[in-house]
Amino acid sequence: ASQINGGAGAGGIELPKHAKHAANDPYFLQPMEGVDGTGYRASWWTQFYCILWRSWLSVLKDPMLVKVRLLQTAMVASLIGSIYFGQVLDQDGVMNINGSLFLFLTNMTFQNVFAVINVFSAELPVFLREKRSRLYRVDTYFLGKTIAELPLFIAVPFVFTSITYPMIGLKAGVSHYL
């Protein structure tokens, strides 16, 4: 800790002896050059681009995970479609369609949420280390990861809806489907 010294500069604080020697040590972390007022070496856009690129490469690197998610979605969609197959628009049919729409929403929401939880928990140690090193901000990490996985976040609900929508017998037509 530092020692208070009445005559040592404006603040009256004198550095301990080991800190004075550490400032001359080549392994002591000196203030970084090229760091802006936020404490990051790179701009927000550079950080975002690097995280987006790295996240995109990790998505492309594991095509089996994409295939498994799509296959899982197709199987669950087929199951839900077969349960609610061919509903008619009477009182019972409308209640069944409400139930199927509830399953639509919960399945699409939780499938994407669990995918994010799975990825984030696997990358948490790396994220914390790089965040502490001030390599990037939290917002650039979040946006980069989200945008890199956006095609999958769009493809999975599209596959799910494309299978279940006609099986349940919802209103026909492309405009209604969209």
Side-chain angles (χ1 to χ4, degrees), residues 145-156:
K145 288 294 291 178
T146 302
I147 292 173
E149 295 184 10
L150 192 62
L152 197 56
F153 290 157
I154 292 171
V156 167

Side-chain angles (χ1 to χ4, degrees), residues 3 7 21 44 55 74 90 120 173:
Q3 301 170 357
H21 295 296
W44 190 93
S55 300
D90 59 0
F120 187 72

Side-chain angles (χ1 to χ4, degrees), residues 56-84:
W56 180 248
L57 290 178
S58 75
V59 168
L60 293 177
K61 190 170 55 173
D62 200 0
M64 183 57 88
L65 180 64
V66 173
K67 291 175 186 173
V68 166
R69 282 192 61 194
L70 291 174
L71 181 65
Q72 175 188 7
T73 300
M75 291 175 62
V76 170
S78 299
L79 177 67
I80 291 173
S82 63
I83 291 171
Y84 293 101

Side-chain angles (χ1 to χ4, degrees), residues 119-129 132 141:
V119 167
F120 187 72
S121 63
E123 292 185 2
L124 185 61
V126 174
F127 168 75
L128 290 175
R129 183 179 66 238
R132 265 186 255 119
Y141 175 80

Side-chain angles (χ1 to χ4, degrees), residues 30 36 47 117 119 127 129 135 144 147:
Q30 301 295 327
D36 60 2
Q47 293 174 28
I117 289 172
V119 167
F127 168 75
R129 183 179 66 238
L135 292 176
I147 292 173

Side-chain angles (χ1 to χ4, degrees), residues 75-107 160-161 163-171:
M75 291 175 62
V76 170
S78 299
L79 177 67
I80 291 173
S82 63
I83 291 171
Y84 293 101
F85 186 77
Q87 296 298 314
V88 292
L89 290 178
D90 59 0
Q91 186 173 357
D92 289 335
V94 170
M95 294 301 289
N96 289 337
I97 290 172
N98 281 341
S100 68
L101 292 176
F102 175 76
L103 285 175
F104 263 52
L105 293 174
T106 55
N107 182 53
F160 185 84
T161 306
I163 293 171
T164 54
Y165 194 91
M167 286 181 76
I168 293 171
L170 298 175
K171 195 166 186 177

